[in-house]
Structures are given as C-alpha cells and as structure tokens.
Amino acid sequence: MNILVTGGAGYIGSHTLIELIASGHSVVVVDNLCNSSKIAINRVEKITGTSIPFYETDIRDKEALNIILDKHQINCCIHFAGLKAVGESVSHPHEYYDNNITGTLTLIGALREHGIKNIIFSSSATVYGEPQVIPVTEDCPKGICTNPYGWTKWMIEQMLIDLHTADPTYNVVLLRYFNPIGAHESGLIGENPNGIPNNLMPYITQVAVGKRDKLHIFGNDYDTPDGTGVRDYIHVVDLAKGHVKALNAIQSNCGVEVYNLGTGKGYSVLDIVKAFERVNDVKIPYVIDDRRPGDIATCYSDPSKAWTALGWKAEYGIEEMCRDSWNWQRQNPDGYG
Ligand code: NAD
Ligand code: UFG
C-alpha cells in the first residue's frame, strides 16, 4: 500500500517507517517538525536504503495537504501527528485542542476529498482514565481523562467512529498504545524529547548519560508491590510492527476496530531502574518525591485481542527495552542535536 504517515519524523512514526518499508509498503511523510528533526528521516533512509518523500507541512494546512494528496496515490493514512505532553496540555489547552482536534479534522477532510477512507490512529491507554479493570481490555469503558491531551485522544477516537457510522466504507483502526520505550537496534533513531523529559525512560537515560543528576520517582506509597507506579512498557519496534499488522486488517475491510498495543506485563518504576542498571551496568541515583498529580497506581494491558485478531504480540522484553534505550542515548547524547 501507499501510506501517508503524519508525524513520521517523530519517535514512534520514524520507527514505524522502517517496519512499513521492510514489509513492502511505500510511505509519504508529512510532519511540521514541531517536536522532531528531519535528521530522523535521513537516518531512516540510511537504515532502509530507501528515499522517503517528505513534506514539512502542518496537518492544519488543508491547501498543502491537498497538493500532496493530488501528487501521491494514497491508500491509507497512519496518523501519528499530534502534541503529546500531558502537563503542557494542562497549561496550554487551546494549543492542544487546536493542533490535535483541528489538525485531525483538517486531515480527514482532505483525505475524504481524495476518497481515502482507511485510517489508523495513534490513540493511548490514557482514554481508559482510571481503568475499571486490570489488565485493561478494549471492552473496558473509556473513562474520565485527567488532562486535555487525553481528551483529544478520546474525542478523535469518537470522531473516527462516527465517520464510519455515517459511511461504513471507512476502515478505522484505533491503536491504544501503552508505554513505548526503547529504540531501533542501530541506535540511529530514538526518542528525542525537548527540554526536561516528562516520561520515565528518557529521564533515566539522561541521568545515565550525565545530563541530569538523579531521577525523581513520583511517589512510593501507591498500592503496588513496591509502592511505585506500575506501567506496561512496550518496545517501540514491537509497537511499530503492530501498525503493519493493523494495515492487514484495513486491507480486509475491517470497519472500526480497537486494539491495545502493550505487552500485558506491569513493571514498577523501581523495576525499571533496577533492570536498566543491571542490563547496562550504569548507576541511576534517585530520590523519592511526592506523587505526580493525575498519575494512577497501576495500568497494564490485556493485549490478547491484537494477538487473536491481528496475529501481533510484543516480542521484546524489558532487558532489550533498557538496552536499546541506552544504546540510542549513549550514541546520541544530544539526541538529533
Ligand atoms: P512525537 O512528538 O515524537 O511525534 C509526533 C510528531 O508529530 C512529531 O514529529 C511532530 O513534529 C508532529 N506534529 C505534531 N503536530 C503536528 C502538526 N500539526 N502537523 C504536522 N506534524 C505535527 O510523539 P510520539 O511519541 O512519536 O507519538 C506519536 C503519536 O502517538 C502521538 O499522536 C502521540 O499522542 C501518540 N502516543 C504516544 C505515546 C508515547 O508515550 N510516546 C503514548 C500513547 C500515544
Ligand atoms: N515517573 C517517575 N519519574 C519521572 C517520570 C515518570 O517516577 O521522572 C513515573 C510515573 O509516576 C509513572 C511512571 O513513571 O508511575 C511512568 O510515567 P510516564 O510519564 O513515563 O508515563 P505515563 O504512564 O504517565 O504516561 C504515558 C504517556 C501518556 C500516555 C500514557 C499511556 O506520557 O501520554 O503513557 O499510554 F497516555
């Protein structure tokens, strides 16, 4: 298939490009580079030996999207583009709703005008809010989100479901990611956060590389085995492969489908710190701080639907996730510079 990848220069998008190309698909990338670098695309070209059509374009620019869609015969859109920092979304809700919601509406408008009705969307476990059951299945009701970022995912899912209700020839796959970490084994691409990392693994790798003194662990009084938060960490390469499997579903006219992409295993913050230290033979000093507002104690997936329906399951374990996160950071202490 010929796939439009929005946000393809970003962390998950760049890894997905590699898997798409390895599976024989063609890609066209649209990214405004607001949270990424063109260097990521150059490195994917190096890894795959393929030249990638790239447009530095905002998905809110319908005219520009139309020109791209006139030029390329696209069969499906994988939609990664969006802002994703939870805390920033609380302080800048307008920017988040405008970028994520207006951006998606503009994108699907342009796609519709070009007869493109196959869409795979990057959703998040955040739509479950405080999950009613653990492990979280796709049947678990969507919950109350604690921040505007989460609501944008929640609303975009609903928008895409409504499109299919109105026109059943749409095929929509909603992929709810759990916690992606790790990097491509080459160490050429990886997660490259701006400023102080919000997420656990990039913070740990920046401590390991000497950019930060110590990790701040947000609370050790949760109702979990060691008191620290438990999450479902998934290797970004496994996550990327999930998109290739989702394309198979699209090709067989799946209608609307929702899949959790996780490993089904929960690890605490201290589990991750210890695994990182053991695998990479580096010390991660830490202090225990107060809980972070909005955090929940435990969240991990039941990923069995993706296995049954798509034949996808995560292959990498926590050791490979820690190894590859460090391999990327060590080789690129300043990310893409
Ligand atoms: P990322 O920031 O690395 O990638 C997102 C990309 O979208 C960036 O390259 C950015 O420049 C681009 N972008 C943002 N707004 C745009 C716009 N208006 N027009 C064009 N390009 C735009 O983030 P990521 O971690 O790769 O996440 C990809 C998707 O997966 C996002 O939608 C994110 O919300 C979702 N997601 C991420 C996580 C996670 O923990 N990383 C978890 C669940 C869901
Ligand atoms: N944590 C720390 N210190 C840090 C960062 C995180 O102790 O510096 C802890 C958190 O309290 C939590 C765990 O590490 O217990 C994981 O936190 P992350 O910020 O890495 O991930 P979250 O589970 O909070 O959220 C992530 C994404 C969301 C997404 C969600 C579910 O940031 O966008 O996973 O997919 F919605």
Side-chain angles (χ1 to χ4, degrees):
M1 287 180 116
N2 204 16
I3 300 153
L4 180 74
V5 182
T6 73
Y11 172 47
I12 304 170
S14 57
H15 286 83
T16 303
L17 294 176
I18 294 173
E19 301 307 323
L20 291 170
I21 293 166
S23 303
H25 297 289
S26 304
V27 295
V28 174
V29 174
V30 168
D31 197 306
N32 67 358
L33 302 181
C34 69
N35 194 38
S36 53
S37 164
K38 174 71 191 349
I39 296 169
I41 299 291
N42 301 341
R43 297 208 177 158
V44 171
E45 289 181 322
K46 186 172 169 192
I47 291 165
T48 59
T50 304
S51 167
I52 296 175
F54 174 78
Y55 296 91
E56 187 175 341
T57 297
D58 194 299
I59 56 165
R60 288 164 294 183
D61 183 346
K62 191 155 178 203
E63 219 172 293
L65 288 179
N66 278 331
I67 293 169
I68 296 164
L69 294 171
D70 284 344
K71 186 162 172 207
H72 299 275
Q73 285 295 316
I74 299 293
N75 311 111
C76 177
C77 174
I78 305 186
H79 178 30
F80 293 103
L83 299 178
K84 64 161 185 177
V86 171
E88 191 183 61
S89 80
V90 175
S91 55
H92 294 79
H94 179 270
E95 282 74 8
Y96 271 68
Y97 287 114
D98 181 45
N99 194 81
N100 294 4
I101 301 284
T102 311
T104 302
L105 283 172
T106 309
L107 172 71
I108 56 186
L111 293 173
R112 185 172 60 173
E113 284 171 27
H114 289 79
I116 302 158
K117 297 182 179 179
N118 295 324
I119 302 170
I120 297 173
F121 176 59
S122 297
S123 190
S124 167
T126 198
V127 300
Y128 294 113
E130 181 121 29
Q132 289 187 11
V133 285
I134 299 281
V136 190
T137 63
E138 293 83 353
D139 294 335
C140 180
K142 284 162 77 177
I144 304 290
C145 298
T146 51
N147 56 76
Y149 164 73
W151 284 120
T152 68
K153 294 295 176 195
W154 202 106
M155 290 178 201
I156 294 169
E157 283 200 358
Q158 192 59 48
M159 279 159 40
L160 294 171
I161 291 168
D162 292 343
L163 277 186
H164 171 263
T165 305
D167 176 355
T169 64
Y170 269 90
N171 294 302
V172 171
V173 179
L174 307 174
L175 297 177
R176 293 179 179 157
Y177 309 155
F178 282 68
N179 292 54
I181 58 172
H184 188 259
E185 60 174 4
S186 63
L188 287 174
I189 60 169
E191 190 168 12
N192 183 34
N194 280 330
I196 301 171
N198 296 302
N199 298 115
L200 179 64
M201 186 53 86
Y203 206 108
I204 289 179
T205 60
Q206 290 199 6
V207 171
V209 84
K211 293 182 95 171
R212 319 238 160 238
D213 287 351
K214 53 184 176 297
L215 173 70
H216 297 259
I217 295 183
F218 300 139
N220 66 351
D221 56 352
Y222 285 106
D223 183 15
T224 61
D226 63 24
T228 65
V230 169
R231 296 290 184 276
D232 185 340
Y233 297 92
I234 173 168
H235 198 295
V236 66
V237 171
D238 276 330
L239 193 70
K241 289 177 178 168
H243 295 73
V244 179
K245 297 289 190 183
L247 274 177
N248 298 341
I250 292 270
Q251 282 175 303
S252 54
N253 292 322
C254 59
V256 176
E257 289 292 347
V258 184
Y259 295 104
N260 285 339
L261 295 185
T263 64
K265 295 190 185 74
Y267 289 99
S268 74
V269 177
L270 284 171
D271 288 336
I272 298 293
V273 170
K274 284 180 205 149
F276 191 94
E277 290 185 331
R278 187 179 68 246
V279 169
N280 298 316
D281 198 20
V282 285
K283 202 82 200 123
I284 305 296
Y286 64 83
V287 286
I288 306 292
D289 280 5
D290 290 344
R291 291 182 179 195
R292 183 171 62 177
D295 272 358
I296 56 179
T298 301
C299 183
Y300 57 91
S301 68
D302 176 343
S304 55
K305 185 181 173 201
W307 172 240
T308 314
L310 301 178
W312 173 90
K313 68 171 185 314
E315 308 270 336
Y316 291 107
I318 203 67
E319 281 79 16
E320 288 98 345
M321 298 184 216
C322 291
R323 178 198 66 197
D324 294 339
S325 294
W326 178 224
N327 187 35
W328 149 254
Q329 182 78 77
R330 198 163 36 110
Q331 290 188 46
N332 305 269
D334 298 316
Y336 294 114

